[in-house]
Structures are given as C-alpha cells and as structure tokens.
Amino acid sequence: MKDELYQGKIKQYDPAKGFGFIGSAEGDVFFHISDFPAAEGEPKRNERVKFNVVENGDKYKAIKIERVEDTSKKAKKSKVAAHNQSITSALLSNLKR
C-alpha cells in the first residue's frame, strides 16, 4: 500500500473501543475514530469511505478518512423509498386535520 487514495466500506466498528476495520480490495485496514470526520457522526457498517494509509507496525492504518456517497442501485432505491415515505406521511398528517 502506498501514499494514494483507497476506497472501501466500513466492515465493523466498536464505539466502546473507538476503532474498527475498513474492507477494501487490498484487504482489511484498521482505523481509529480520531481519523474519522467527527462532525458527520459515527461510522456505520457498509458505509463507503475513501482514505489514505500509513504503516502501523507490520500492518496498515487508515487516515484522512472521508465518506463517499453510495451511488449503487440499492442505495438509490433506498433513498427513493425513504423520500416517498416522508411524502406519504406528510400527506396523511394533512388529511387527519
């Protein structure tokens, strides 16, 4: 692994311990919550990210982690369903008045 940008998904995260692993094509990479953008909340499983790596002993550690918008068909379908549900809820609440 070199000084370049990698992409992957959050494989697991333990909020009590403050660390987790990102699954990428190159293998699983350790990350600490301090390298995650704090303003955007805690990492969630299967969330897409891009990151740099540094050597951490004989393994690698992800740094400068950034969230990446999920543009897969499944994610788009989920966003549409959530949007439709919010519209339906708003319409129903207006009818109840």
Side-chain angles (χ1 to χ4, degrees), residues 35-47:
D35 293 306
F36 211 85
E40 300 173 21
E42 290 189 336
K44 293 177 180 54
R45 188 159 192 246
N46 290 325
E47 186 172 33

Side-chain angles (χ1 to χ4, degrees), residues 20-87:
F21 293 91
I22 299 171
S24 71
E26 292 78 17
D28 292 351
V29 181
F30 171 85
F31 76 90
H32 189 268
I33 190 63
S34 62
D35 293 306
F36 211 85
E40 300 173 21
E42 290 189 336
K44 293 177 180 54
R45 188 159 192 246
N46 290 325
E47 186 172 33
R48 293 178 187 271
V49 293
K50 60 183 178 179
F51 57 95
N52 291 97
V53 295
V54 293
E55 286 191 39
N56 187 26
D58 60 343
K59 300 189 182 204
Y60 293 96
K61 176 184 175 187
I63 59 169
K64 300 179 184 174
I65 303 168
E66 298 176 33
R67 287 179 163 92
V68 176
E69 185 177 350
D70 189 349
T71 57
S72 67
K73 286 184 179 182
K74 185 176 180 182
K76 287 180 183 176
K77 188 176 181 180
S78 178
K79 285 180 185 178
V80 168
H83 180 69
N84 288 346
Q85 184 164 358
S86 68
I87 291 171

Side-chain angles (χ1 to χ4, degrees), residues 3-21:
D3 188 25
E4 57 187 74
L5 211 54
Y6 295 91
Q7 290 200 8
K9 289 183 182 180
I10 301 297
K11 192 170 184 177
Q12 67 183 51
Y13 171 66
D14 185 338
K17 295 180 180 176
F19 68 84
F21 293 91

